[in-house]
Amino acid sequence: MKRRGRVVALGAVTAVLRDGRSLSGAFDAAAAGLEDPREGALARELAFGVFRWLPRLDAILPRLMTRPLKRKDTDVRAILLLGLYQLLFTRIPARAAVAESVALSREIGKPWSDALVNAVLRRFQREGARILESVTTSEPASYAHPGWLIESIRRAWPDAWQRILEAGNSQAPMTLRVNARVSTRDAYLERLKAAGIAAEPAPYTSHGLVLQRPSEVDALPGFTQGAVSVQDAAAQLAAPLLELELGHRVLDACAAPGGKAAHLLESGPAEVTLVALDKDTRRAPLLQNTLDRLGFSCDVIIGDATSPQSWWDGVLFDRILLDAPCTASGVIRRHPDIKYHRRQSDVDALARVQRSLLEALWPLLAQGGLLLYATCSILPQENQQQVLEFVESRSDATPYPIESEWGRAAGPGRQILPGDHGMDGFYYALLAKR
Ligand SMILES: C[S@@+](CC[C@H](N)C(=O)[O-])C[C@H]1O[C@@H](n2cnc3c(N)ncnc32)[C@H](O)[C@@H]1O
């Protein structure tokens, strides 16, 4: 019964837990070559589900075992987590969930593990209700987020923290951005309808469509030809904020995989010169693929935005987009492994990186130009605090008001909280150069 899908989920979960891989990367690698879309959907549901609920599953597991598993048996732990996830959060019949987990344990060459998997999952069937009641008295197990993050979110958003945590445990919708150079949103909506795919306009966007159910990209009409891209509605708010004009020279300083760069090219006047920079040699090809699929060309540079002397030609930019590396605390629903990978100390470290990016890029902006600072974080240290401190340190930087109805005012910019109108959590602040 969908054994391949479970094997893929096991491969992905093990790679994240054991090797520290990102879930999306590990999942794509494990799922390569999987042909049956139903197997793929099951694999995704199980692997992403385990990380969505990991803080709770991790609290339950030790109560079902007499001895902890060794690190070298991370694959067995992954089988148990997958089994618990199925028993707790899916409609898969319990008997099938246990039997399939035992069958999965026979795939890993550890003959002792099938008895253990069977015993642990059966014990959960007998004692689960009591164990669940006792573990969910702790906040991390109850809200399924790490304790430090719950605390940071509660402090930052006292009126919304529980809603934010709930959004972090939900499944994000699939949202599309219709290529404005190819068609209108209404025309593409008709194409979707004809293909049997239900969707509705994404609020606050001119070209966003939210699908009723996620779809394989290959099933989207014209995807390969660049008619449409996958991008959350919150991310689609970046390009219009930059108010591109004819002849502008624009820098996208952290551009891979190219979602916002492509949107700039789609929505701005044709005569805009875009330099798309990213320092990650593995991510830069994704940026090129995005541009190729959409039929755009621009100057793609692999380089470090904090050392412009290594890549900049000395000509100032009228617009700079700094979509900064961040904790990604606003997109946990899309990348639930953030709950596992992120540490509290990362916030300080990332805030330092963001500050150095701001410092390095500001001199590249022409007088009268605009810099858009963006993160997919909801933590003030990376957002309003960061931008405020920067503005206070520079006499030539002034906040440029964002006149919009989305999000809420946060320091010099605006914050969208995860789940607001179905969107990802994002922060935007515009700075003008005097
Ligand atoms: C939030 S992602 C950008 C997403 C992209 N703007 C989009 O819309 O598809 C941040 C990117 O910053 C890049 N990055 C991090 N530090 C950098 C640096 N010092 N110079 C250039 N790029 C950097 C990362 O490789 C990553 O691709």
Side-chain angles (χ1 to χ4, degrees):
M1 232 178 70
K2 300 206 180 132
R3 183 72 41 81
R4 280 291 308 145
R6 285 186 163 81
V7 172
V8 166
L10 172 62
V13 172
T14 307
V16 177
L17 295 176
R18 190 188 54 207
D19 310 329
R21 301 268 314 267
S22 81
L23 177 58
S24 315
F27 183 84
D28 290 348
L34 196 61
E35 269 163 24
D36 183 344
R38 285 167 313 167
E39 298 261 14
L42 175 71
R44 178 174 286 278
E45 150 77 8
L46 298 186
F48 280 68
V50 160
F51 286 97
R52 190 168 298 124
W53 294 103
L54 190 66
R56 187 176 299 177
L57 302 177
D58 257 350
I60 295 171
L61 197 52
R63 299 189 184 222
L64 297 167
M65 305 178 70
T66 44
R67 259 179 299 146
L69 286 163
K70 298 195 175 93
R71 190 167 161 70
K72 67 180 171 61
D73 297 320
T74 300
D75 47 2
V76 180
R77 179 176 163 218
I79 293 172
L80 290 170
L81 292 170
L82 285 161
L84 284 180
Y85 172 73
Q86 290 171 69
L87 291 174
L88 262 171
F89 294 106
T90 70
R91 282 187 296 191
I92 296 168
R95 199 192 313 185
V98 175
E100 287 297 322
S101 300
V102 172
L104 200 51
S105 70
R106 298 202 178 107
E107 306 258 347
I108 59 172
K110 295 182 178 171
W112 52 270
S113 66
D114 50 351
L116 176 79
V117 168
N118 190 43
V120 166
L121 296 182
R122 286 199 186 283
R123 183 164 175 200
F124 183 72
Q125 284 184 285
R126 289 192 308 274
E127 301 174 28
R130 183 184 55 76
I131 294 174
L132 202 54
E133 203 178 315
S134 110
V135 299
T136 48
T137 53
S138 98
E139 285 199 336
S142 171
Y143 294 113
H145 280 67
W148 70 267
L149 188 54
I150 296 175
E151 202 34 54
S152 306
I153 294 175
R154 180 165 34 214
R155 223 178 309 123
W157 308 107
D159 65 328
W161 66 278
Q162 279 162 308
R163 181 163 63 77
I164 294 172
L165 298 176
E166 267 166 39
N169 294 339
S170 68
Q171 296 200 34
M174 182 167 174
T175 305
L176 308 180
R177 186 190 74 239
V178 178
N179 184 345
R181 299 244 184 266
V182 173
S183 81
T184 62
R185 170 158 70 184
D186 285 349
Y188 191 76
L189 196 51
E190 287 305 313
R191 287 181 78 184
L192 280 181
K193 216 184 275 173
I197 299 173
E200 58 179 42
Y204 305 120
T205 67
S206 59
H207 287 77
L209 287 170
V210 184
L211 299 189
Q212 206 171 68
R213 263 187 299 277
S215 159
E216 298 287 324
V217 286
D218 295 334
L220 299 171
F223 178 82
T224 322
Q225 296 77 34
V228 75
S229 301
V230 178
Q231 188 179 46
D232 188 79
Q236 296 184 37
L237 302 173
L241 287 174
L242 277 165
E243 300 177 359
L244 296 191
E245 288 171 17
L246 220 68
H248 269 168
R249 211 173 118 77
V250 184
L251 171 66
D252 183 348
C254 293
K260 296 185 191 69
H263 194 197
L264 288 169
L265 292 167
E266 274 170 29
S267 57
E271 298 78 6
V272 155
T273 310
L274 179 70
V275 176
L277 177 80
D278 204 281
K279 79 163 184 186
D280 188 327
T281 48
R282 286 160 310 157
R283 284 169 68 89
L286 304 177
L287 165 61
Q288 192 58 58
N289 290 348
T290 303
L291 297 169
D292 291 347
R293 183 179 61 81
L294 293 163
F296 293 124
S297 65
C298 76
D299 207 355
V300 174
I301 302 178
I302 298 177
D304 186 340
T306 61
S307 9
Q309 69 282 4
S310 63
W311 53 267
W312 184 43
D313 62 8
V315 185
L316 294 169
F317 294 99
D318 305 290
R319 298 287 185 265
I320 296 180
L321 169 59
L322 171 51
D323 190 13
C326 68
T327 54
S329 52
V331 292
I332 290 177
R333 59 185 195 157
R334 292 196 188 278
H335 304 286
D337 51 322
I338 290 169
K339 296 177 183 187
Y340 174 71
H341 288 306
R342 227 19 112 221
R343 299 282 174 273
Q344 187 162 20
S345 54
D346 295 344
V347 183
D348 279 346
L350 283 159
R352 279 195 296 277
V353 171
Q354 292 151 1
R355 178 62 189 241
S356 63
L357 284 161
L358 274 166
E359 299 277 1
L361 293 169
W362 189 251
L364 278 55
L365 185 65
Q367 224 177 12
L370 288 177
L371 180 146
L372 177 60
Y373 178 80
T375 72
C376 56
S377 171
I378 53 165
L379 301 180
Q381 204 185 334
E382 300 178 89
N383 296 340
Q384 56 268 45
Q385 229 167 287
Q386 178 75 266
V387 179
L388 265 178
E389 278 169 24
F390 181 72
V391 170
E392 279 163 12
S393 74
R394 305 282 320 201
S395 57
D396 58 349
T398 39
Y400 185 84
I402 295 178
E403 315 266 346
S404 73
E405 289 179 3
W406 47 258
R408 45 168 86 187
R414 290 188 81 78
Q415 177 76 60
I416 300 161
L417 296 176
D420 279 359
H421 295 276
M423 292 189 278
D424 283 345
F426 250 85
Y427 182 77
Y428 288 115
L430 269 172
L431 297 178
K433 192 162 192 177
R434 271 203 283 260

